[in-house]
């Protein structure tokens, strides 16, 4: 009996493995059937092709070259359905009581949990049903700094800051393991026309744990600082070392670390008519690898696998590519939207951007040309932050502080 059952399972698995290939072999015939004399046959072919997401490249080629206007029109409808339904909401928070203040999200490497920053603390949330597991950060005094949150990929360390500018690090149980004093910088003020140098606090703008370690990189108006988990002295790279030719006070905006942990991309706003600046820094020796200039205030930066390039979402101008071969940043997507974040897809073949505009809260762009692959349907509010959860899921936070989990549509034929 067991042998018969195993044989049946093997046969079923073999037949299932053949199904996608059979579907692929049917595609040319189904495309031709879209121009059949009978409407019933055309409808049947369209319905079948609608289920074959993996056939999209062949359908696009056919739409551009098919001699039948009827077939081209039906192919256009099929492809629009692919575009509109590429990502769908898997789960979402019905409501939130956190108020209007928005903080970023961070995710564990396996995509099972999110860290959600808000003024009262940091909620650790399961991504399957958005259940809050625990809340950290309540042991500090004062309101949390809503721009600064770091979470190690293994979920064992979380870093945040309060209004004093100090950085606190807690373990997964909420125990304080490290407190980093606020950074300072020397700056020139010019009251009554008499310039003088003063020392100012430089609260953190961004922080990230280096992949595979508990070392923490903190970015502020003072520059870049690497805090080793073992307690050794921090390594610092002040702004004057990053941009020695700049004598004016410039403002830190955003930072991201490459996936291999060897480089950090930093973006600065330069007040006045001068162009803003982006730099890639080697974390091994704290040296500048390359510098790129952008035209508008940077809102968010994303760094690729090895730090060879970065994407920057700008305020009401679009997305640009910065790299060693692009001292003047290259525009890959123009937009009048107030862009709020940008992130590479896990395969680095596309990128996601979020916008304050409710008509286009999330978009996916092909790289390197910036062709739009997908746009989220209109929503009551725009999105503030994008967080990848793997190759087929991602999370966003809306402007009214709700978390949404999106899942990539899977073709029934491939399934």
């Amino acid at each position: 009996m067991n042998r018969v059952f195993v044989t049946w399972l093997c046969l079923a698995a073999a037949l299932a493995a053949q199904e996608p290939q059979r579907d692929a072999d049917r595609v040319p015939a189904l495309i031709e059937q879209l121009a059949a004399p009978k409407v019933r046959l055309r409808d049947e072919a369209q319905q079948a092709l609608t289920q074959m997401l993996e056939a999209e490249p062949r359908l696009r080629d056919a739409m551009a070259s098919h001699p039948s206007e009827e077939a081209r029109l039906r192919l256009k409808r099929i492809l629009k359905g692919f575009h509109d339904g590429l990502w769908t909401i898997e789960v979402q928070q019905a409501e939130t009581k956190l108020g209007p203040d928005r903080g970023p999200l961070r995710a564990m490497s396996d995509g099972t949990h999110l860290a959600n920053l808000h003024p009262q603390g940091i909620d650790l949330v399961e991504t399957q049903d958005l259940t809050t597991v625990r809340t950290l950060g309540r042991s500090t005094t004062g309101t949390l700094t809503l721009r600064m949150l770091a979470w190690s990929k293994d979920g064992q360390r979380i870093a945040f800051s309060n209004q004093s500018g100090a950085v606190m690090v807690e373990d997964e149980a909420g125990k304080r393991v490290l407190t980093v004093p606020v950074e300072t910088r020397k700056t020139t003020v010019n009251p009554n026309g008499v310039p003088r140098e003063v020392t100012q606090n430089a609260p953190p703008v961004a922080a990230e744990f280096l992949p595979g370690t508990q070392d923490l990189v903190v970015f502020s108006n003072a520059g870049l600082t690497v805090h080793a988990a073992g307690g050794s002295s921090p390594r610092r790279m002040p702004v004057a070392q990053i941009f020695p030719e700049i004598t004016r006070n410039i403002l830190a905006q955003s930072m991201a670390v490459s996936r291999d942990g060897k480089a950090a991309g930093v973006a600065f706003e330069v007040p006045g008519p001068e162009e803003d600046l982006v730099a890639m820094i080697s974390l091994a020796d704290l040296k500048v690898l390359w510098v790129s200039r952008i035209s508008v205030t940077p809102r968010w930066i994303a760094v690729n696998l090895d730090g060879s390039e970065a994407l920057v979402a700008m305020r009401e101008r679009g997305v640009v590519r910065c790299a060693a071969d692009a001292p003047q940043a290259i525009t890959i997507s123009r937009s009048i939207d107030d862009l709020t974040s940008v992130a590479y897809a896990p395969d680095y073949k596309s990128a996601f951007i979020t916008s304050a505009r409710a008509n286009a809260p999330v978009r996916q762009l092909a790289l390197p040309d910036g062709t739009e692959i997908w746009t989220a349907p209109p929503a009551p509010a725009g999105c503030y932050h994008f967080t990848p959860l793997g190759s087929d899921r991602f999370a966003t936070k809306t402007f009214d502080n709700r978390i949404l989990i999106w899942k990539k549509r899977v073709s029934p034929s491939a399934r």
Side-chain angles (χ1 to χ4, degrees), residues 291-311:
V291 172
S292 190
R293 295 178 179 273
I294 62 177
S295 58
V296 180
T297 302
R299 281 294 179 84
W300 203 273
I301 187 171
V303 177
N304 68 346
L305 174 65
D306 58 3
S308 58
E309 73 170 29
L311 297 178

Side-chain angles (χ1 to χ4, degrees), residues 123-164:
D123 292 336
L124 303 188
V125 180
E126 291 184 355
T127 59
Q128 290 298 326
D129 55 9
L130 298 181
T131 301
T132 298
V133 178
R134 66 175 63 90
T135 298
L136 305 178
R138 286 180 171 168
S139 58
T140 185
T141 57
T143 303
L144 299 188
T145 301
L146 290 179
R147 293 187 66 185
M148 210 229 71
L149 177 66
W151 200 22
S152 60
K153 291 299 183 180
D154 59 8
Q156 295 183 4
R157 291 288 187 274
I158 197 160
F160 53 93
S161 176
N162 63 11
Q163 56 195 7
S164 72

Side-chain angles (χ1 to χ4, degrees), residues 107-286:
M108 289 178 61
S109 57
D110 60 5
T112 59
H113 290 80
L114 285 168
N116 176 29
L117 175 64
H118 54 85
Q120 289 77 42
I122 303 144
D123 292 336
L124 303 188
V125 180
E126 291 184 355
T127 59
Q128 290 298 326
D129 55 9
L130 298 181
T131 301
T132 298
V133 178
R134 66 175 63 90
T135 298
L136 305 178
R138 286 180 171 168
S139 58
T140 185
T141 57
T143 303
L144 299 188
T145 301
L146 290 179
R147 293 187 66 185
M148 210 229 71
L149 177 66
W151 200 22
S152 60
K153 291 299 183 180
D154 59 8
Q156 295 183 4
R157 291 288 187 274
I158 197 160
F160 53 93
S161 176
N162 63 11
Q163 56 195 7
S164 72
V167 176
M168 283 71 72
V169 180
E170 292 183 358
D171 63 16
E172 56 187 344
K175 179 182 177 181
R176 183 72 53 80
V177 295
L178 178 67
T179 300
V180 179
V182 61
E183 298 276 351
T184 60
R185 70 166 179 174
K186 292 186 181 298
T187 185
T188 301
V189 297
N190 196 19
N192 303 321
V194 181
R196 62 187 180 90
E197 190 176 69
V198 297
T199 300
Q200 293 180 338
N201 285 346
V205 168
E208 284 200 36
F209 287 96
L210 296 185
T213 75
Q214 293 178 357
D215 293 355
L216 182 66
V217 183
V218 178
F219 180 51
S220 70
N221 285 339
L224 200 70
T225 304
V226 181
H227 299 273
S232 57
S233 298
R235 296 185 295 123
R236 290 184 169 86
M237 188 176 193
V239 173
Q241 188 178 338
I242 301 174
F243 302 115
E245 73 281 5
I246 302 293
T247 58
R248 302 170 60 190
N249 299 324
I250 60 178
L251 305 175
Q253 291 295 322
S254 184
M255 178 197 72
V257 173
S258 60
R259 187 184 290 184
D260 64 9
K262 296 181 179 179
V266 293
F268 287 87
E269 178 186 0
V270 181
E274 296 181 38
E275 293 178 305
D276 297 321
L277 296 166
V278 172
M280 192 66 66
I281 298 170
S282 167
L283 294 174
D285 51 12
L286 294 185

Side-chain angles (χ1 to χ4, degrees), residues 21-82:
Q21 183 59 45
R22 289 177 182 173
D23 286 334
D25 294 340
R26 293 173 58 208
V27 170
L30 289 171
I31 291 175
E32 292 307 313
Q33 192 174 324
L34 292 174
K38 293 185 177 180
V39 175
R40 176 179 60 81
L41 294 176
R42 298 199 295 267
D43 290 345
E44 289 176 356
Q46 182 172 338
Q47 180 62 31
L49 290 172
T50 300
Q51 307 301 313
M52 300 181 184
L53 291 174
E54 67 280 359
E56 180 178 354
R58 301 168 75 176
L59 300 188
R60 289 196 179 280
D61 292 341
M63 186 180 70
S65 60
H66 202 286
S68 167
E69 183 178 355
E70 171 78 9
R72 294 196 303 271
L73 180 60
R74 288 177 177 264
L75 287 166
K76 184 177 181 180
R77 292 172 182 167
I78 294 169
L79 291 168
K80 185 178 187 303
F82 287 173

